[in-house]
Amino acid sequence: MSGQPTPCSPQEIASLFLFEKLSPEQLGRLCSEGRVERFDVGPVYTEGEPATCFYVMVEGTVVLSRRVGGDDVEVSRTSQRGVYAGAMQAYLGDQVPQTYTNSMRVTEPTRFFVLPADSFAAVMRDWFPMAAHLLEGLFFGSRNTQRAIGQRERLLALGSLSAGLTHELNNPAAAAVRATATLRERVGKMRHKLAIIAQGPYSREALAELIEIQERTAERVAKAPVLSPLEASDREDELADWLDDHGIQEGWRIASTFVQAGLDTDWLEQVAATVAEDILPGAIGWLNYTVETELLMDEINDSTTRISHLVDAAKQYSQLDRAPYRVVDVHELLDSTLLMLSGKIGRGVRVVKDYDRSLPDVPAYPAELNQVWTNIIDNAVFAIASTGGEGTLTVRTAREGDRLLVEFRDTGPGIPADIRSRIFDPFFTTKPVGEGTGLGLDISWRIVVNKHHGSLQVESAPGDTRFQVLLPLTDPESGDSGNSGDSETSRTSGTTETAEEPA
């Protein structure tokens, strides 16, 4: 939008704090290369457009805003003379994209001193060469430092996840190895028992009955009910008494195995009624081996299934062999992250899932959302640990208008009000030295807001801290969602769009 040209007075320009130390020659150059323009109420420039001019307000009122999702969020409103905006990074040249990083409008007729971006870059290099070099070094140095520490943060998180995953895989793998070794021993004893039975004075009919009972016993094992500890103890006593009454040796040991298989005294009575009394002890021993092998195979199956689930969760978490941007079910992402972090969460933290399964899938970068979940959950677990290590983490999903809500609620001590406005700032952390880089929430904020056009906010009170991620249900039509690293979007504490708080 172009303004109405008005005369440029070096004396008036010199009254602005930005130019008050300039010489008459320098002021003359500004007026010869720049201009004073008057703008009526309305927009001056729009975020994302090529940054062609540097604006310094002479008089009036300006409002700066940033684009968050589909909304413009006001970040500054002022009537102070001399405030500036626009092509403030023109002196960096083509090293950075030269576009406006915010939108500016005026709420009353306002006059600006307007300097073309090329002229602004030239006077910076000519008049303040050292300052230009220092600013350039500060800009790129801080950005490179942030990227390097961000990569370090990701590596630390990866190391923690790898350790947790290794621990989680080790338990079922070790169980499968133990069960396999025991199964080999039981099958060997079963073969020995079979040889004894085959050499014994058993008729073909008795052997057929024994095999038929074996089949039915195996079916009972697969359908064994889950008993409470008290119920299991009572049934063990009943079975041990029955076995002792029928002259079965080591009835107490066999009783424990039979209880796991879901067998009871009624079943043993059926066995006793089917086979002859003289072969009952051998039949019970044979059935005991059958039950043990079935239970061991179930244990191996459970262990290998657990390993398979962990591998699937790792693939889901890392999004290997999947498109970087696609439509996803956030519940699958949440479940995989919780499983990957289960070792770190520990037994003292009770995890509650309050999912709305009717929610539709959303377009997203799933691997990066998993990083957001990881950072927030890690902070929640740390907060709970600071209060003794026991508490509740609630993960809730819901629909809020045209957006999907993912909320993480912990029962930690809460975030003090005096630091709540800083928690999304780069390098700010409440963790002890060596335990946090202060980039987890900054990275999360960039992923959610800049890359997904969503919002990240926090509400906190002692015993009730809630981080809320809001994601669009549809692919945003405006804005480039491909840059999550360098763009700066407003982080306004307490709004429904963004917040500047910690974890």
Side-chain angles (χ1 to χ4, degrees), residues 24-98:
E25 293 78 12
Q26 291 172 324
L27 293 171
R29 177 177 174 180
L30 289 180
C31 272
S32 65
E33 296 187 18
R35 61 192 182 275
V36 174
E37 293 186 9
R38 180 181 183 276
F39 289 81
D40 292 327
V41 175
V44 177
Y45 63 75
T46 303
E47 180 179 349
E49 293 178 345
T52 58
C53 295
F54 177 70
Y55 295 84
V56 184
M57 189 180 74
V58 178
E59 61 179 353
T61 301
V62 300
V63 176
L64 297 180
S65 62
R66 295 275 176 84
R67 194 73 172 171
V68 179
D71 302 317
D72 285 318
V73 179
E74 180 178 319
V75 297
S76 177
R77 179 186 293 258
T78 182
S79 299
Q80 180 183 357
R81 297 182 73 248
V83 295
Y84 52 89
M88 292 185 295
Q89 296 175 350
Y91 64 91
L92 296 174
D94 58 5
Q95 298 179 85
V96 297
Q98 293 295 335

Side-chain angles (χ1 to χ4, degrees), residues 194-228:
L194 178 61
I196 294 176
I197 291 175
Q199 295 171 3
Y202 305 123
S203 65
R204 295 177 56 132
E205 291 77 12
L207 290 175
E209 290 174 350
L210 191 57
I211 293 173
E212 194 272 335
I213 292 173
Q214 182 187 36
E215 294 296 329
R216 285 191 285 138
T217 302
E219 292 177 1
R220 288 287 292 261
V221 175
K223 302 175 182 177
V226 178
L227 302 177
S228 68

Side-chain angles (χ1 to χ4, degrees), residues 142-208:
S142 63
R143 189 172 69 173
N144 292 338
T145 299
Q146 183 169 327
R147 284 178 173 172
I149 296 183
Q151 292 174 351
R152 177 65 175 171
E153 177 97 356
R154 293 180 176 92
L155 288 174
L156 289 173
L158 180 60
S160 177
L161 288 172
S162 298
L165 180 60
T166 302
H167 175 76
E168 291 296 317
L169 285 171
N170 181 65
N171 290 334
V177 171
R178 289 194 304 269
T180 302
T182 306
L183 179 62
R184 186 185 302 275
E185 178 188 348
R186 293 296 184 270
V187 170
K189 290 184 177 181
M190 181 179 286
R191 289 197 300 265
H192 178 69
K193 194 73 171 180
L194 178 61
I196 294 176
I197 291 175
Q199 295 171 3
Y202 305 123
S203 65
R204 295 177 56 132
E205 291 77 12
L207 290 175

Side-chain angles (χ1 to χ4, degrees), residues 22-351:
L22 297 183
S23 67
E25 293 78 12
Q26 291 172 324
L27 293 171
R29 177 177 174 180
L30 289 180
C31 272
S32 65
E33 296 187 18
R35 61 192 182 275
V36 174
E37 293 186 9
R38 180 181 183 276
F39 289 81
D40 292 327
V41 175
V44 177
Y45 63 75
T46 303
E47 180 179 349
E49 293 178 345
T52 58
C53 295
F54 177 70
Y55 295 84
V56 184
M57 189 180 74
V58 178
E59 61 179 353
T61 301
V62 300
V63 176
L64 297 180
S65 62
R66 295 275 176 84
R67 194 73 172 171
V68 179
D71 302 317
D72 285 318
V73 179
E74 180 178 319
V75 297
S76 177
R77 179 186 293 258
T78 182
S79 299
Q80 180 183 357
R81 297 182 73 248
V83 295
Y84 52 89
M88 292 185 295
Q89 296 175 350
Y91 64 91
L92 296 174
D94 58 5
Q95 298 179 85
V96 297
Q98 293 295 335
T99 58
Y100 292 119
T101 59
N102 53 28
S103 297
M104 183 167 71
R105 60 187 174 90
V106 297
T107 58
E108 61 175 314
T110 301
R111 287 194 305 132
F112 290 96
F113 171 69
V114 183
L115 189 64
D118 292 341
S119 296
F120 174 61
V123 299
M124 283 290 293
R125 289 191 292 267
D126 293 345
W127 297 347
F128 314 107
M130 179 179 290
H133 285 302
L134 290 174
L135 288 172
E136 181 177 348
L138 178 63
F139 177 84
F140 290 110
S142 63
R143 189 172 69 173
N144 292 338
T145 299
Q146 183 169 327
R147 284 178 173 172
I149 296 183
Q151 292 174 351
R152 177 65 175 171
E153 177 97 356
R154 293 180 176 92
L155 288 174
L156 289 173
L158 180 60
S160 177
L161 288 172
S162 298
L165 180 60
T166 302
H167 175 76
E168 291 296 317
L169 285 171
N170 181 65
N171 290 334
V177 171
R178 289 194 304 269
T180 302
T182 306
L183 179 62
R184 186 185 302 275
E185 178 188 348
R186 293 296 184 270
V187 170
K189 290 184 177 181
M190 181 179 286
R191 289 197 300 265
H192 178 69
K193 194 73 171 180
L194 178 61
I196 294 176
I197 291 175
Q199 295 171 3
Y202 305 123
S203 65
R204 295 177 56 132
E205 291 77 12
L207 290 175
E209 290 174 350
L210 191 57
I211 293 173
E212 194 272 335
I213 292 173
Q214 182 187 36
E215 294 296 329
R216 285 191 285 138
T217 302
E219 292 177 1
R220 288 287 292 261
V221 175
K223 302 175 182 177
V226 178
L227 302 177
S228 68
L230 183 60
E231 291 173 332
S233 177
D234 290 342
R235 183 171 292 187
E236 271 190 44
D237 292 340
E238 292 177 7
L239 288 173
D241 291 342
W242 189 96
L243 294 169
D244 289 341
D245 292 343
H246 289 77
I248 310 298
Q249 295 181 356
E250 295 187 337
W252 58 271
R253 185 180 62 83
I254 296 175
S256 176
T257 304
F258 281 5
V259 168
Q260 292 182 59
L263 305 183
D264 53 21
T265 54
D266 291 339
W267 176 255
L268 293 180
E269 289 292 350
Q270 294 179 38
V271 174
T274 303
V275 303
E277 185 177 350
D278 60 327
I279 67 171
L280 179 61
I284 293 297
W286 172 255
L287 293 178
N288 181 53
Y289 288 137
T290 299
V291 169
E292 286 184 334
T293 56
E294 290 293 326
L295 292 175
L296 288 168
M297 285 189 289
D298 285 345
E299 185 176 347
I300 293 172
N301 181 68
D302 290 342
S303 298
T304 53
T305 300
R306 170 69 174 166
I307 292 172
S308 178
H309 286 166
L310 285 168
V311 172
D312 287 344
K315 290 179 66 177
Q316 173 69 255
Y317 181 84
S318 62
Q319 294 295 303
L320 291 175
D321 304 326
R322 303 191 183 201
Y325 185 76
R326 60 188 180 88
V327 176
V328 296
D329 181 353
V330 294
H331 304 107
E332 292 181 359
L333 305 183
L334 291 168
D335 286 341
S336 66
T337 303
L338 288 169
L339 182 56
M340 292 291 291
L341 293 174
S342 58
K344 190 168 188 177
I345 291 174
R347 297 182 178 180
V349 179
R350 176 172 171 258
V351 177

Side-chain angles (χ1 to χ4, degrees), residues 381-494:
V381 171
F382 178 83
I384 293 173
S386 68
T387 61
E390 293 189 357
T392 301
L393 170 64
T394 302
V395 183
R396 181 172 71 93
T397 61
R399 183 168 187 157
E400 289 201 359
D402 60 350
R403 297 190 292 181
L404 184 149
L405 167 69
V406 181
E407 179 182 79
F408 300 86
R409 177 183 179 186
D410 70 71
T411 56
I415 303 168
D418 58 337
I419 65 172
R420 202 171 299 163
S421 63
R422 300 175 57 198
I423 63 167
F424 291 112
D425 290 349
F427 309 112
F428 178 80
T429 179
T430 60
K431 295 179 180 178
V433 175
E435 292 191 26
T437 62
L439 283 178
L441 288 179
D442 172 61
I443 291 170
S444 300
W445 196 91
R446 291 172 182 270
I447 290 172
V448 172
V449 176
N450 294 340
K451 197 153 191 176
H452 289 85
H453 302 281
S455 66
L456 175 58
Q457 60 196 42
V458 65
E459 299 174 359
S460 184
D464 185 7
T465 296
R466 306 183 187 197
F467 279 86
Q468 298 172 329
V469 177
L470 287 160
L471 300 171
L473 290 172
T474 57
D475 193 2
E477 296 180 356
S478 62
D480 177 14
S481 63
N483 181 4
S484 65
D486 297 327
S487 64
E488 285 295 334
T489 308
S490 169
R491 312 182 185 196
T492 306
S493 176

